[in-house]
């Protein structure tokens, strides 16, 4: 019997029931049938809000697939404290009702301005922290000095990442724009991101990963991402009508930057896709989970990490690693950088240029002076 562990933790000012188990695709697919279940990055667990009804719901749901439920930690009734550093340092109060209404209007405004769901979630999240900080400091007018103080207390002191600091700046600026508030030039310099090179797998490692799975859906999805250089969001949004087998192209619609583009359709992948289609018969999306809903990026990422561990790849492998590997292998095969830019959907050639730094072709041609000593 598969073991399901339940525990309590604090999140979003309320107690949640955490759900953890050893990775298993059947359990994962079954769990996602619960529409209200969410994922916590902090605790690496799925969760539902704590209530007797939800507790019973979890018990009944997992008993359907004959799982053993360990609920000893629920009996202790001692929720784990939130791990977020900013909360521990600042002890931010809850939003007032008026500010909550403001946040709802801000979210609606962002939606009307056609920002992506991920961008909306990020901007709303940082703005909530900003307003809670304002309540803590008893501030009602957002001056330049106050915003700089928030940046220092909330980002610099807890040593948040450079990427997160930029997200905070963007989110606050959008909120001020929404409120028609003009603030003099901020003395917050946008720090430059670390120029880290992308992780790239060799062709042999890609082959190892794909050969390690007997699940046709998993193999087809990962093969598609690599062979077409897709982002995971682009892959799970594909429909059968987007596969043009006559022209051997894949249409990627409404990708990053709200742009459409074409990318390559591999002949080997086409054979795999036809076999996959006959077996799974997808209805709307090319890749679907249980009950014909859209397949999730979290499920795909779990599959890849499991395979990487299985074949012994020590590099930090993500779904985006397959896209990086596609671009690097094209470059090493002599494909012009401009074509790679088009296939990846990069708006600037500077973004694509990073693959010249990870390609081994030119470096391998250089004779090492140590060899001639």
């Amino acid at each position: 019997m598969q073991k399901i562990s339940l525990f309590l933790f604090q999140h979003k000012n309320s107690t949640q029931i955490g759900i953890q188990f050893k990775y298993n695709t059947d359990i994962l697919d079954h769990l996602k049938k619960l529409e209200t279940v969410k994922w916590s990055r902090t605790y690496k667990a799925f969760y539902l809000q704590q209530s007797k009804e939800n507790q019973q719901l979890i018990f009944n749901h997992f008993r359907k697939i004959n799982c053993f439920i360990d609920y000893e930690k629920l009996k202790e009734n001692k929720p784990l404290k939130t791990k977020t550093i900013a909360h521990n340092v600042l002890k931010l109060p809850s939003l007032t009702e008026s500010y909550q209404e403001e946040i709802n209007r801000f979210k609606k405004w962002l939606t009307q301005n056609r920002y992506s769901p991920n961008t909306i979630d990020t901007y709303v999240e940082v703005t909530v922290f900003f307003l809670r900080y304002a309540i803590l400091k008893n501030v009602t007018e957002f001056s330049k000095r106050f915003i700089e103080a928030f940046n220092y207390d909330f980002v610099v002191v807890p040593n948040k990442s450079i990427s997160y600091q930029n997200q905070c700046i963007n989110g606050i600026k959008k909120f001020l724009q929404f409120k028609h508030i003009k603030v003099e030039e901020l003395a917050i310099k946008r720090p430059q991101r670390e120029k880290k090179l992308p992780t790239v797998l060799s062709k042999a490692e890609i082959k190892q990963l794909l050969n390690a799975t007997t699940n046709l859906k998993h193999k087809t999805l990962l093969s598609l991402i690599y062979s077409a250089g897709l982002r995971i969001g682009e892959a799970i949004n594909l429909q059968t009508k987007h596969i043009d087998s006559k022209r051997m192209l894949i249409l990627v619609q409404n990708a990053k930057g709200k742009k459409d583009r074409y990318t390559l359709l591999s002949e080997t992948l086409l054979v795999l896709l036809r076999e996959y289609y006959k077996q799974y018969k997808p209805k709307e999306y090319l890749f679907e989970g249980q009950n014909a809903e859209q397949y999730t990026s979290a499920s795909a990422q779990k599959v890849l990490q499991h395979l990487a561990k299985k074949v012994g790849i020590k590099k930090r492998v993500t779904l985006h690693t397959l896209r990086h590997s596609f671009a690097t292998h094209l470059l090493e095969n002599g494909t012009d950088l401009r074509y790679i830019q088009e296939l990846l959907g990069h708006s600037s050639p500077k973004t694509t240029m990073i693959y010249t730094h990870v390609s081994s072709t030119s470096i391998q041609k250089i004779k090492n002076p140590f060899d001639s000593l």
Side-chain angles (χ1 to χ4, degrees):
M1 295 177 69
Q2 292 288 341
K3 179 181 174 182
I4 308 294
S5 299
L6 305 181
F7 65 101
L8 299 178
F9 67 95
Q10 287 294 126
H11 180 57
K12 297 185 177 179
N13 298 319
S14 61
T15 304
Q16 313 290 344
I17 304 175
I19 307 168
Q20 287 183 324
F21 52 90
K22 189 176 180 181
Y23 178 73
N24 181 293
T25 52
D26 293 332
I27 293 178
L28 188 62
D29 289 340
H30 184 68
L31 175 60
K32 288 179 179 177
K33 292 179 182 179
L34 292 176
E35 295 181 354
T36 52
V37 74
K38 296 180 181 177
W39 171 255
S40 167
R41 291 184 185 176
T42 304
Y43 290 94
K44 307 296 183 187
F46 292 91
Y47 67 93
L48 289 172
Q49 188 163 5
Q50 161 68 341
S51 69
K52 289 183 179 180
E53 292 78 12
N54 278 343
Q55 187 171 310
Q56 193 60 50
L57 177 66
I58 293 169
F59 285 171
N60 293 339
H61 191 67
F62 282 110
R63 281 169 181 161
K64 290 179 182 178
I65 56 172
N66 197 32
C67 289
F68 169 71
I69 302 171
D70 180 2
Y71 57 94
E72 286 300 314
K73 290 183 180 179
L74 290 188
K75 294 179 182 178
E76 297 174 5
N77 200 27
K78 292 181 180 179
L80 298 174
K81 292 182 180 179
T82 306
K83 296 181 182 178
T84 307
I85 294 175
H87 285 205
N88 295 336
V89 173
L90 297 173
K91 297 180 181 178
L92 298 175
S94 301
L95 282 182
T96 61
E97 189 175 336
S98 61
Y99 270 149
Q100 186 58 62
E101 291 174 357
E102 197 81 74
I103 284 293
N104 292 339
R105 288 193 291 270
F106 178 48
K107 187 173 184 178
K108 186 177 179 181
W109 180 80
L110 290 170
T111 304
Q112 289 171 338
N113 281 276
R114 300 299 183 92
Y115 287 93
S116 72
N118 286 340
T119 300
I120 292 171
D121 288 344
T122 300
Y123 286 178
V124 167
E125 180 186 76
V126 298
T127 304
V128 166
F129 284 129
F130 178 66
L131 294 178
R132 290 170 64 191
Y133 181 79
I135 297 170
L136 178 71
K137 298 297 183 181
N138 197 25
V139 169
T140 55
E141 293 187 5
F142 306 132
S143 66
K144 166 190 169 183
R145 180 169 294 182
F146 173 71
I147 297 170
E148 289 168 357
F150 169 75
N151 177 69
Y152 180 77
D153 287 342
F154 186 72
V155 179
V156 178
V157 172
N159 197 26
K160 299 267 189 176
S161 69
I162 291 172
S163 176
Y164 190 78
Q165 177 166 338
N166 285 331
Q167 289 175 345
C168 282
I169 296 170
N170 291 336
I172 293 169
K173 288 181 75 173
K174 284 299 171 188
F175 179 69
L176 297 178
Q177 182 183 340
F178 158 71
K179 292 285 292 175
H180 302 291
I181 297 173
K182 290 186 178 180
V183 178
E184 57 183 304
E185 184 91 18
L186 295 178
I188 304 172
K189 292 185 178 179
R190 289 175 179 271
Q192 289 187 346
R193 290 187 181 184
E194 303 97 324
K195 294 183 178 179
K196 293 182 179 179
L197 295 177
T199 301
V200 172
L201 299 177
S202 67
K203 291 180 182 179
E205 287 172 323
I206 295 287
K207 190 173 182 179
Q208 267 187 303
L209 281 173
L210 298 179
N211 289 342
T213 178
T214 55
N215 184 298
L216 182 57
K217 180 188 287 185
H218 297 164
K219 186 172 186 176
T220 307
L221 176 57
L222 297 180
S223 298
L224 171 70
I225 293 172
Y226 168 70
S227 67
L230 299 180
R231 302 176 179 94
I232 179 56
E234 296 168 349
I236 60 178
N237 282 329
L238 283 180
Q239 299 176 17
T240 52
K241 65 182 180 181
H242 297 143
I243 307 298
D244 188 343
S245 58
K246 292 182 179 178
R247 298 171 64 206
M248 295 304 291
L249 295 172
I250 298 172
L251 174 61
V252 184
Q253 285 190 319
N254 200 25
K256 191 174 181 179
K258 298 181 173 61
K259 296 181 296 184
D260 293 354
R261 75 176 190 278
Y262 280 102
T263 188
L264 305 176
L265 173 59
S266 155
E267 292 181 2
T268 305
L269 177 70
L270 182 59
V271 173
L272 198 59
L273 278 172
R274 284 171 172 161
E275 183 184 350
Y276 163 78
Y277 186 82
K278 287 178 184 176
Q279 181 172 324
Y280 286 89
K281 297 180 175 59
K283 296 176 182 177
E284 181 179 1
Y285 294 102
L286 188 57
F287 296 97
E288 297 173 337
Q290 295 292 326
N291 303 318
E293 79 275 13
Q294 188 178 19
Y295 201 69
T296 66
S297 58
S299 297
Q301 184 61 51
K302 286 273 189 181
V303 168
L304 180 60
Q305 288 176 343
H306 173 72
L307 291 174
K309 187 176 181 180
K310 182 179 177 180
V311 301
I313 293 177
K314 303 300 182 184
K315 300 173 185 176
R316 183 179 177 273
V317 179
T318 68
L319 293 166
H320 220 66
T321 303
L322 300 180
R323 175 174 157 90
H324 290 320
S325 302
F326 165 80
T328 305
H329 296 163
L330 281 180
L331 189 62
E332 291 175 345
N333 286 342
T335 307
D336 191 289
L337 208 61
R338 290 171 297 178
Y339 294 136
I340 299 175
Q341 179 188 343
E342 289 295 323
L343 292 172
L344 295 179
H346 287 161
S347 56
S348 169
K350 290 182 181 179
T351 309
T352 319
M353 282 290 291
I354 193 170
Y355 298 111
T356 62
H357 298 290
V358 291
S359 172
S360 62
T361 305
S362 299
I363 296 175
Q364 287 172 346
K365 292 179 181 178
I366 301 172
K367 184 165 181 166
N368 194 310
F370 186 72
D371 294 333
S372 58
L373 291 179

